[in-house]
Amino acid sequence: MMKKAAQLFKHKAYELRWALLSGILVGTSYIPFPPWALLFCYAPLWFSITEGNSPSVKKAFWSGWVTQFLLTAIGFHWIAYTAHVFGAMPWSVSIAALLLFCAFMHLYIPTAAAVGVWLQRRFQLSRIQTLFTIALLHALLERTWPVIFDWHLGYTLLGAHIPAYQWADVIGFAGLSALILIFNAWATTIWLKFKTSRQQAGLHLAAFIAVIVFLIAGGAYHKAPWDHFDQEFKTTVIQANIGNSDKIQAEQGRGAQEFITRKFTAMTMDAFAKYPDTDLFVWPETAFPDYLDQRLLGRKHTQMLAQGMATLDRPILTGAYSRSPVLDAHRDEATFNALFLIDGRGNNLDAPYLKTNLLAFGEYLPLSEKFPILLKWLPFISNFGRGKGPHAISWNHKGEPIRLGGQICYEGLDPQFSRGLIADKSDILVNVTNDSWFGQPSEPLQHMYMTLARGIETRRPLIRSTNTGISTVIWANGDLQQKSPLHQEWAGQFTVKYRKDAPVTAYVKWGHYDWIVLLLALTGIVLIGALHARSRRP
């Protein structure tokens, strides 16, 4: 029995070898790895499923499923750690959760492969036409498929500091991902042509290299207009490295609030002594473990904050909690995850921003808004109120208003949210988050670069303040400043250079509609293939 099982496994592994190879290539080309196989990582999968006169749709789907399972396991292995730490699940259950995540989260990859092969059979597309069809389907599905958060290969360009990422202000990082997928189809085409016509393959390879050089060199040139600034200020980010147990106790009101409050106030005053020219201090998500609404400043921990920073004459932008003045305070949705701009005594300098894009199961229970009974059945799941953002906070700096566009946690991963901040006249983007639940090093780097991408798309500097790292600042031209260490107490000062009334980028205006171009290209390939096949019929 064991021998037969081993032989079956060996046979299946050999049959799916190209799918397995693609999974490894994609997984090891994503952050934190260098993008060494970026331009051909999907080529083995697509090569194998389009082979033959009548390729199998079933084989295409299951090959794609193997690829997405493996790349997800490599790129998102930290899901198991998060389930264990954040969800308090046993390791056995956490690993099972990871396997379920790998099995179902990125099904758009096998779906694109299967639909592409079905179109090949249905409309008699050529193999090369099918390759580009799959690439376009993949690009369209990866931005519409329901996932916890969007990820794609476009972010790897920023992670590896390849200047082609500078084009994101025109087509966005999703558009760059579409280009990478098209390059994968093109690379597979070149490989196929080497078998039939080396001359044609050579011409394709020359054009392939020329386009890549243009995107990289042109990206460096495209950056130049954004190297000029007319305003600047100095900000100091406080990274207090609060442990998970203390965060949980503080959030549940079972202690640690005093310890956390004193730690942030002490670190801020020490940083002020070291950097007296600081204009703005930035604390991370829920750094202050209590309400900060103006009408609630008499609470114990707010008074503690005021006493600890009585001599501080600089504003602080901090994550904290807000309580609705309308809803019953005992209802979960009466509390908001919020971002406040305050002075050293806690006085609100503008209305707070209330988090809008809530984290499923961490900050709200899906479907509970339509079916409140779920909250009674699952009372242990947090259910925060939902804000009406995007909304910028106004900071009066030396008589000059500066609009701070706040993003809390993974709101920074949503391009549409940041476009809304630009519509609200944001001069600066500020992302506050708590990555303490994710371990190291993969997720903190992935989350950081995916968030910094919004600064390039909108051409606004972005300040990132985290509890445990990585805290940093990126300017609108893409220049990344110093990065904080992971899981260490740290305070660092940054010079934030920007342009007042900076122009709105092409991507913010219309670049996110590039899906229309992709859809037209897909339709064109299928129609041309179908008409060509029809003309060959007797």
Side-chain angles (χ1 to χ4, degrees), residues 76 78-79 101 106 147-151 410 413 446 450:
F76 302 94
W78 49 265
I79 294 291
F101 183 87
H106 301 123
V147 293
I148 295 177
F149 57 85
D150 296 333
W151 76 277
Y410 85 138
L413 307 185
Q446 291 172 359
M450 292 166 75

Side-chain angles (χ1 to χ4, degrees), residues 135-136 139-140 142-143 152-155 157 164-165 167-183 215 415 419 454 457 507 511-515 517-518:
L136 291 168
L140 287 165
E142 76 177 2
R143 61 180 73 185
H152 48 67
L153 293 175
Y155 292 119
L157 299 174
Y165 75 78
W167 294 105
D169 66 354
V170 178
I171 59 174
F173 278 86
L176 291 173
S177 178
L179 284 179
I180 291 170
L181 293 168
I182 291 170
F183 276 123
L215 289 172
R419 293 199 302 270
R454 307 289 82 81
E457 290 174 339
Y507 173 71
H512 51 288
Y513 290 116
D514 67 323
W515 65 268
V517 178
L518 299 176

Side-chain angles (χ1 to χ4, degrees), residues 135-446:
L136 291 168
L137 283 166
H138 188 135
L140 287 165
L141 287 173
E142 76 177 2
R143 61 180 73 185
T144 56
W145 199 269
V147 293
I148 295 177
F149 57 85
D150 296 333
W151 76 277
H152 48 67
L153 293 175
Y155 292 119
T156 60
L157 299 174
L158 179 58
H161 308 291
I162 299 172
Y165 75 78
Q166 297 285 354
W167 294 105
D169 66 354
V170 178
I171 59 174
F173 278 86
L176 291 173
S177 178
L179 284 179
I180 291 170
L181 293 168
I182 291 170
F183 276 123
N184 272 260
W186 197 358
T188 313
T189 298
I190 293 171
W191 174 252
L192 290 173
K193 286 189 174 295
F194 262 113
K195 295 184 175 182
T196 57
S197 172
R198 290 185 175 272
Q199 182 178 5
Q200 284 189 16
L203 291 173
H204 271 274
L205 181 60
F208 184 86
I209 294 172
V211 174
I212 293 172
V213 170
F214 168 78
L215 289 172
I216 294 175
Y221 178 79
H222 185 69
K223 168 197 173 186
W226 298 98
D227 287 332
H228 305 287
F229 312 97
D230 55 24
Q231 303 285 336
E232 68 176 56
F233 64 87
K234 294 186 182 297
T235 186
T236 296
V237 174
I238 305 297
Q239 180 177 299
N241 195 37
I242 303 298
N244 289 325
S245 60
D246 290 326
K247 290 290 292 184
I248 292 173
Q249 290 183 46
E251 289 173 3
Q252 296 179 350
R254 294 190 286 109
Q257 290 107 320
E258 181 174 342
F259 162 72
I260 294 173
T261 301
R262 292 192 186 281
K263 190 169 187 178
F264 270 102
T265 55
M267 288 186 67
T268 299
M269 295 310 295
D270 289 344
F272 187 40
K274 185 177 180 180
Y275 307 114
D277 57 343
T278 294
D279 298 301
L280 175 70
F281 287 92
V282 183
W283 295 1
E285 178 186 15
T286 61
F288 183 70
D290 206 340
Y291 299 109
L292 262 181
D293 303 283
Q294 187 69 37
R295 70 184 190 283
L296 301 175
L297 294 186
R299 295 170 66 86
K300 172 185 174 181
H301 301 103
T302 315
Q303 291 296 305
M304 192 180 300
L305 179 147
Q307 293 169 6
M309 299 190 300
T311 59
L312 183 71
D313 59 349
R314 299 291 190 277
I316 303 167
L317 187 68
T318 179
Y321 298 100
S322 175
R323 181 193 291 173
S324 170
V326 178
L327 297 174
D328 181 351
H330 296 291
R331 292 172 58 181
D332 287 343
E333 63 268 31
T335 295
F336 296 84
N337 187 348
L339 186 62
F340 287 83
L341 182 66
I342 60 173
D343 63 17
R345 294 187 173 276
N347 293 304
N348 292 199
L349 302 180
D350 195 15
Y353 162 66
L354 309 179
K355 188 176 181 181
T356 304
N357 294 353
L358 303 180
L359 180 63
F361 299 105
E363 293 176 316
Y364 83 101
L365 180 60
L367 302 178
S368 63
E369 294 173 346
K370 291 186 177 180
F371 306 101
I373 189 66
L374 293 175
L375 296 173
K376 294 183 179 180
W377 293 347
L378 301 168
F380 51 87
I381 295 179
S382 298
N383 192 52
F384 284 89
R386 190 182 299 275
K388 299 179 180 179
H391 170 66
I393 295 174
S394 185
W395 168 35
N396 187 0
H397 174 52
K398 299 179 180 178
E400 180 76 25
I402 298 177
R403 303 279 289 174
L404 304 172
Q407 313 162 337
I408 300 178
C409 192
Y410 85 138
E411 286 178 331
L413 307 185
D414 181 3
Q416 182 177 353
F417 185 88
S418 292
R419 293 199 302 270
L421 289 173
I422 302 307
D424 202 32
K425 309 298 182 183
S426 295
D427 299 301
I428 314 291
L429 301 181
V430 184
N431 179 260
V432 296
T433 192
N434 174 28
D435 278 355
S436 64
W437 311 105
F438 304 104
Q440 57 180 336
S442 296
E443 194 279 344
L445 271 172
Q446 291 172 359

Side-chain angles (χ1 to χ4, degrees), residues 31-49:
I31 303 165
F33 301 103
W36 68 280
L38 188 65
L39 299 177
F40 57 87
C41 52
Y42 281 106
L45 169 66
W46 297 348
F47 175 86
S48 66
I49 63 175

